[in-house]
Amino acid sequence: MASRTLLDKVVGLRESPAPHLLLLTDTTAVSGRPLLYSLVHAHLRAGTRVLYLTTSEYPQDLRQHIKDEGTVGKIEFFDGATDPCGWDSGEPAECVTQPLPEVMRKGRRGCRTGGKVAVVVDRLEGLAMHQDTTTLVRGLHTLANEKPPSPAEGEVGQVVVYCGRDVVSEGLLQAVTHLATCVLHLQPTQPCSCSVVLKKPSGKVTKAHEEFSLTLDFKIHGVKAAQKTAGPAKVPAETPSSDPTPESLLAASTFSLSLTEDQRRAKNELLLPHTRVQGEGGQIHYTPDREDDWDEDDPDDDLDI
């Protein structure tokens, strides 16, 4: 079944066409960074030029895990982690303050004519500290959908956005999820699993929840459908053979619903209070208080007007 290999197809770039905007999220309980590295390595092996904007990890640390030696494609880092606010250099880093299309345009000019470019944003919450939500969402949409203005610039084949869904603001997460053509939500399970939502250009939406593992060189393998946790067994309700009759309800009752002859006679002879008042005629008895004013000439003479 295709759904069993959906994660492998998306991360291994075997899905055609590739999702223009891929959103990868994790939580504090599970890290999606190895899956991100696997996706980047797939782009490098396919000959794609990768423009990697980092706001959390230093480029020299990322190169320990992402190595482009011997691959067809190359990677270029945009450092938004070392000095993003410009406390050391005196000026904030352009890659975190300028709109994404402008930042990546410089890297796209270094691509060969007709080549593909993959843009990686690692992590979105770090970028959101320097730009408002509207600017970020508009920049991601433009970057994922615009055509290169000149043949000298490489075409963006995919934009990969990585963030923590329990860290990034809810409004920004909803907006990027709406834009994304593929969403990978990493789940803190054993073994590790991922919820996949893929939106086809035809409008078809494919969903899957799959377990997976990674090799030491960040190649994904062992993808299979995640096992569903079995819930408690439900006891089937008894189906009555026929509709209950008044006789059966009386027989099943734990108390008597009928009156004996003595109870019926006592009930009929009981004189209720409202019946007694109606027979005697109603009267109202009122005892005046000491403070009551009984002067009928001027009822307001006790007021100081």
Side-chain angles (χ1 to χ4, degrees), residues 118-134:
V119 177
V120 179
V121 178
D122 173 17
R123 308 177 46 107
L124 183 63
E125 55 265 33
L127 203 59
M129 298 176 64
H130 305 275
Q131 300 183 29
D132 59 83
T133 300
T134 303

Side-chain angles (χ1 to χ4, degrees), residues 53-74:
L53 170 59
T54 172
T55 64
S56 59
E57 301 289 331
Y58 300 130
Q60 58 269 26
D61 295 335
L62 290 171
R63 287 192 179 277
Q64 300 297 322
H65 305 286
I66 304 175
K67 300 177 181 180
D68 58 352
E69 293 86 357
T71 61
V72 184
K74 293 296 180 181

Side-chain angles (χ1 to χ4, degrees), residues 143-296:
L143 202 58
N145 294 279
E146 74 172 354
K147 298 297 181 181
S150 66
E153 294 187 16
E155 181 181 357
V156 177
Q158 188 175 73
V159 178
V160 181
V161 180
Y162 174 45
C163 70
R165 60 180 179 273
D166 54 354
V167 179
V168 73
S169 67
E170 183 177 356
L172 179 57
L173 181 61
Q174 290 179 351
V176 179
T177 302
H178 178 73
L179 286 180
T181 48
C182 184
V183 180
L184 306 179
H185 287 321
L186 211 62
Q187 305 296 335
T189 58
Q190 290 294 337
C192 192
S193 63
C194 184
S195 298
V196 187
V197 178
L198 178 63
K199 306 172 187 176
K200 296 278 190 176
S202 60
K204 179 182 178 181
V205 178
T206 305
K207 298 180 180 180
H209 186 198
E210 300 172 341
E211 298 174 354
F212 69 97
S213 57
L214 293 172
T215 62
L216 294 178
D217 56 350
F218 299 106
K219 290 183 180 180
I220 190 170
H221 74 104
V223 182
K224 63 179 182 179
Q227 298 293 330
K228 295 183 179 180
T229 303
K234 295 183 178 180
V235 179
E238 295 183 359
T239 303
S241 58
S242 60
D243 294 335
T245 61
E247 291 77 10
S248 63
L249 291 176
L250 284 173
S253 176
T254 58
F255 55 91
S256 178
L257 299 178
S258 60
L259 298 176
T260 63
E261 189 63 29
D262 294 338
Q263 291 173 337
R264 187 177 294 105
R265 186 183 304 110
K267 174 178 176 295
N268 295 333
E269 294 177 356
L270 179 63
L271 186 63
L272 299 178
H274 69 276
T275 306
R276 184 172 61 251
V277 171
Q278 291 176 358
E280 299 175 354
Q283 295 180 359
I284 298 177
H285 301 278
Y286 175 72
T287 303
D289 295 332
R290 183 182 304 174
E291 293 81 6
D292 288 343
D293 184 7
W294 293 96
D295 187 358
E296 298 180 358

Side-chain angles (χ1 to χ4, degrees), residues 84-105:
C85 299
W87 291 340
D88 297 330
S89 62
E91 295 183 0
E94 292 184 356
C95 61
V96 297
T97 56
Q98 291 186 355
L100 278 170
E102 297 181 12
V103 174
M104 297 303 162
R105 188 163 290 127

